[in-house]
Amino acid sequence: MPASTSATGSSRLSTSVVARYAIGSLGTGGFATLPGLVLVFYMTDTLGVAAWAAGLVVTVAKIWDVLIDPLIGGLSDRSLLHSGSRRRLMIVGGIALPIFFLLTFAVPAGVAPAAAGAWVVIAFILASTSFSLFQVPYIALPAELSDHYDQRTRLLTTRVAVLSGAILLFGAGGPILRKIGDPYTGYLVMALVAGLVIGAGMLIASTVAPKGMPYPDAHGIPFSEGYREGIAALRRSAPFRALLGTFLLQALATGLMLAAANYVAVWVMHSDDALTFLFVALIGPAILFSPVWNAISRRIGKERAYVWATVIFTIAAATLTIAIWAPGAWMYASVAAAGAAYAGMQALPMAMLPDVISHDARLHGEARAGVFGGVWTAGETTGMALGAAALAAVLSITGYVQTVAGHVVVQPGSAVVGIAVGFSVVPAALAALSLLTLSRYRLRREDIDGPGIPQEALA
């Protein structure tokens, strides 16, 4: 495979390419948001599944993701070699995901909790597999769309602006849709509408995948060797290890907050409507600050801007600890500050990943964007899955009482405190820890746009 498959070189990306690529975040944002927000709650408060079992269901599905993502990365690189594009996998994922997403929330009323849990885990595994078929090549595309440091930032900050809008759309709209009819009907309607929007976003984004010349004589990466290639990428690229470790910790922090938001609204703030307001407070600033982080990164570099975003998020999450003793509307201000920082924590590392990929290609003579994308997606999935699992563990330890639709329960004080801690203290600590791994990232603008690669970048 050639060392670079960039479709546009150093030239400015067209508005059409940037827009179509960003629309893919309707799919990625929707699938990341709704299951993380409502799946555990759906199982514990509608299907009657115990909190520990609900957490296990999500964890099993995400472990499956982690296992297949590196394999799909290798498959994506093979597709590029033999067809000249990564588009085929993206289209398959965009068509299949809405079907399995609908099935995830289609458990009929009256099904026993154990059977309901089995239903959800099978359907969600199939939905997650479909998502990976799209997500892995989607993550690989920026390295091939441009080899310019700032153009990649422009591409990814635009994507995160759409991602933030998608999170607001699904995070606020999903809970509204699930109020239609009884809880079982509501979740089904929510899944149908959301699945169609997710699939449409994915299919539109697939049109941006560059079409190049196939290499029918090239062998590429055997499907079974995706793990070996992924491990090799981690071993040889210190910047990749640092960036992935940072993003994994932050995915764990944000995944935990996302999973806890529904519980915070109901049991800490005592308002079902508070969930919508929390999302507006989080995502409104995220949309506004996406171009701000682009401007900041142009001035001081992506790496320093990423540090500032992480510090702001850490402080904002830490202030939410006060909710243990005094919950109230003031929490929206802290969430808004976290939202402004969240935009940078999403856009900047994703804009840095293509730099890592091209850096590796310059050193080793082969572009393995699919492999890097597969490992990256596996790491992100691990963080988000562990976030939901960590919340489920906290709920179980603190005595959270599950129920089925139509039954009213009173939660013990210990469970309410556990929810508040899971929304504040733990995410803040994880974000602070991620600053240590980020400090080991050495690539800078001159290493990407400049003529040479300094030795310290390889350490």
Side-chain angles (χ1 to χ4, degrees):
M1 186 186 299
S4 174
T5 55
S6 172
T8 62
S10 298
S11 62
R12 182 176 177 83
L13 290 170
S14 71
T15 301
S16 173
V17 168
V18 173
R20 283 181 287 139
Y21 182 79
I23 286 173
S25 285
L26 281 176
T28 61
F31 191 74
T33 300
L34 266 188
L37 177 66
V38 304
L39 188 57
V40 172
F41 194 81
Y42 169 62
M43 287 188 283
T44 59
D45 284 48
T46 297
L47 304 181
V49 178
W52 67 267
L56 182 62
V57 166
V58 174
T59 301
V60 167
K62 293 304 182 180
I63 288 174
W64 171 253
D65 275 357
V66 173
L67 291 176
I68 65 169
D69 285 343
L71 298 177
I72 292 175
L75 187 62
S76 176
D77 282 338
R78 285 180 62 85
S79 178
L80 180 65
L81 279 171
H82 295 292
S83 71
S85 178
R86 301 183 188 274
R87 187 173 299 180
R88 291 179 180 177
L89 292 181
M90 298 173 72
I91 292 174
V92 171
I95 292 173
L97 190 142
I99 298 170
F100 296 122
F101 190 72
L102 178 64
L103 288 175
T104 300
F105 293 94
V107 180
V111 174
W119 176 307
V120 171
V121 73
I122 293 171
F124 192 52
I125 283 175
L126 292 172
S128 297
T129 302
S130 303
F131 178 71
S132 293
L133 289 174
F134 171 84
Q135 170 80 342
V136 171
Y138 182 66
I139 289 294
L141 288 183
E144 297 164 4
L145 293 172
S146 176
D147 57 11
H148 192 277
Y149 181 89
D150 287 325
Q151 284 299 300
R152 289 168 176 169
T153 307
R154 173 177 167 243
L155 179 69
L156 272 302
T157 50
T158 304
R159 179 199 163 187
V160 167
V162 176
L163 175 67
S164 300
I167 293 173
L168 178 59
L169 174 67
F170 289 96
I176 293 174
L177 288 174
R178 71 178 178 182
K179 293 180 180 179
I180 296 175
D182 62 85
Y184 292 93
T185 301
Y187 275 108
L188 192 62
V189 171
M190 178 201 74
L192 175 62
V193 175
L196 291 175
V197 175
I198 289 170
M202 290 178 169
L203 292 176
I204 291 172
S206 70
T207 65
V208 84
K211 288 184 176 180
M213 292 296 295
Y215 298 85
D217 296 330
H219 296 291
I221 302 173
F223 181 71
S224 60
E225 294 188 12
Y227 298 121
R228 182 180 62 82
E229 290 291 334
I231 293 172
L234 282 169
R235 284 179 175 173
R236 69 175 179 259
S237 177
F240 186 46
R241 291 196 301 272
L243 189 62
L244 180 63
T246 302
F247 198 68
L248 190 154
L249 287 169
Q250 293 180 359
L252 174 55
T254 55
L256 179 54
M257 291 188 76
L258 180 64
N262 206 85
Y263 294 92
V264 169
V266 173
W267 298 112
V268 177
M269 303 183 76
H270 305 291
S271 170
D272 289 332
D273 294 333
L275 180 60
T276 298
F277 295 137
L278 284 172
F279 266 87
V280 171
L282 176 70
I283 302 307
I287 295 173
L288 294 175
F289 272 80
S290 288
V292 173
W293 288 114
N294 184 24
I296 293 173
S297 71
R298 284 176 176 269
R299 185 174 182 85
I300 66 175
K302 304 174 193 178
E303 311 76 27
R304 291 177 182 174
Y306 192 15
V307 170
W308 278 107
T310 304
V311 169
I312 293 171
F313 180 88
T314 302
I315 295 172
T319 62
L320 288 166
T321 306
I322 301 172
I324 297 174
W325 303 279
W330 65 266
M331 295 169 64
Y332 298 128
S334 293
V335 171
Y342 175 78
M345 289 169 59
Q346 286 291 302
L348 295 169
M350 287 190 289
M352 292 155 70
L353 178 61
D355 297 340
V356 170
I357 294 171
S358 62
H359 171 267
D360 182 77
R362 290 171 65 189
L363 285 179
H364 301 286
E366 285 188 305
R368 296 297 195 194
V371 168
F372 278 88
V375 176
W376 180 268
T377 303
E380 180 181 12
T381 299
T382 299
M384 294 296 290
L386 290 177
L391 176 67
V394 169
L395 294 178
S396 182
I397 292 170
T398 56
Y400 186 85
V401 181
Q402 71 273 8
T403 187
V404 296
H407 290 251
V408 178
V409 297
V410 176
Q411 298 297 340
S414 58
V416 177
V417 170
I419 292 168
V421 168
F423 194 66
S424 58
V425 178
V426 181
L430 290 167
L433 183 61
S434 74
L435 289 168
L436 297 178
T437 54
L438 182 55
S439 69
R440 299 186 62 82
Y441 184 85
R442 300 285 187 263
L443 291 182
R444 299 295 182 265
R445 182 192 302 272
E446 57 271 18
D447 302 321
I448 306 304
D449 289 344
I453 301 174
Q455 289 301 309
E456 60 266 28
L458 312 181

